[in-house]
Amino acid sequence: MTDPRIIGPGLLPTPFTAEEIRDATGKGKTIRIRIDLPDGTHQFRINRFRETDAEGATLERWPEASPEEMTANRVTWAELQGHAAFDAETTSVSTGILSLALGDVNCLRYDTEGGTFWFSLAHPGMPVRYESAGTRTTVVSVDHA
């Protein structure tokens, strides 16, 4: 039997399968994200999943202060899983607990050449925190439709 978390040769297991991401999204969800920039300022972004089905969803994204800048595209659950497929030779994985607005969350931490990703085991999908080049993104809230 093959591991559904391993999606290609030389890649580490992803934190979630496509099916786990789909099941956690349900009929839709809205994610509010805080982005802390290197200059000390911050902004918020919204990601919203709509029109979900067995294969994927429509993902809408916009800066919270500028909803007129919304973009939308169709994504598959497999594509979203693939965003967390990291090279086994250049990535280390550990576990830890982060204290966030979501609460204290148990995470898998992936340290890559391009940044550090924390995936909450209780929130299948995007990382709840990502840091790279002085920028930090943190999930502030997750609301289900």
Side-chain angles (χ1 to χ4, degrees):
M1 183 153 120
T2 61
D3 184 341
R5 293 179 194 275
I6 300 175
I7 63 172
L11 299 174
L12 290 170
T14 59
F16 313 108
T17 65
E19 291 74 22
E20 289 169 329
I21 296 168
R22 179 197 63 216
D23 293 348
T25 303
K27 294 182 187 220
K29 70 179 172 182
T30 302
I31 304 168
R32 186 170 184 246
I33 303 155
R34 178 183 168 125
I35 304 167
D36 293 295
L37 301 168
D39 66 4
T41 63
H42 70 273
Q43 56 190 304
F44 291 92
R45 185 179 79 218
I46 307 296
N47 288 2
R48 181 171 57 198
F49 291 87
R50 297 182 54 240
E51 301 165 356
T52 63
D53 59 37
E55 297 301 316
T58 298
L59 174 57
E60 300 172 333
R61 292 173 271 206
W62 66 92
E64 185 176 62
S66 303
E68 69 279 2
E69 294 179 24
M70 177 191 294
T71 62
N73 63 298
R74 179 78 179 167
V75 296
T76 68
W77 308 123
E79 284 177 278
L80 296 176
Q81 177 186 5
H83 291 170
F86 300 109
D87 182 75
E89 289 188 21
T90 61
T91 304
S92 63
V93 182
S94 59
T95 59
I97 297 174
L98 281 180
S99 293
L100 305 171
L102 297 171
D104 291 340
V105 293
N106 291 316
C107 293
L108 288 174
R109 175 182 167 153
Y110 291 73
D111 288 292
T112 73
E113 292 179 327
T116 302
F117 301 79
W118 287 265
F119 293 90
S120 167
L121 299 176
H123 301 89
M126 69 178 291
V128 291
R129 176 164 288 161
Y130 168 65
E131 294 180 358
S132 178
T135 299
R136 173 190 280 178
T137 63
T138 306
V139 171
V140 176
S141 65
V142 177
D143 296 311
H144 291 273

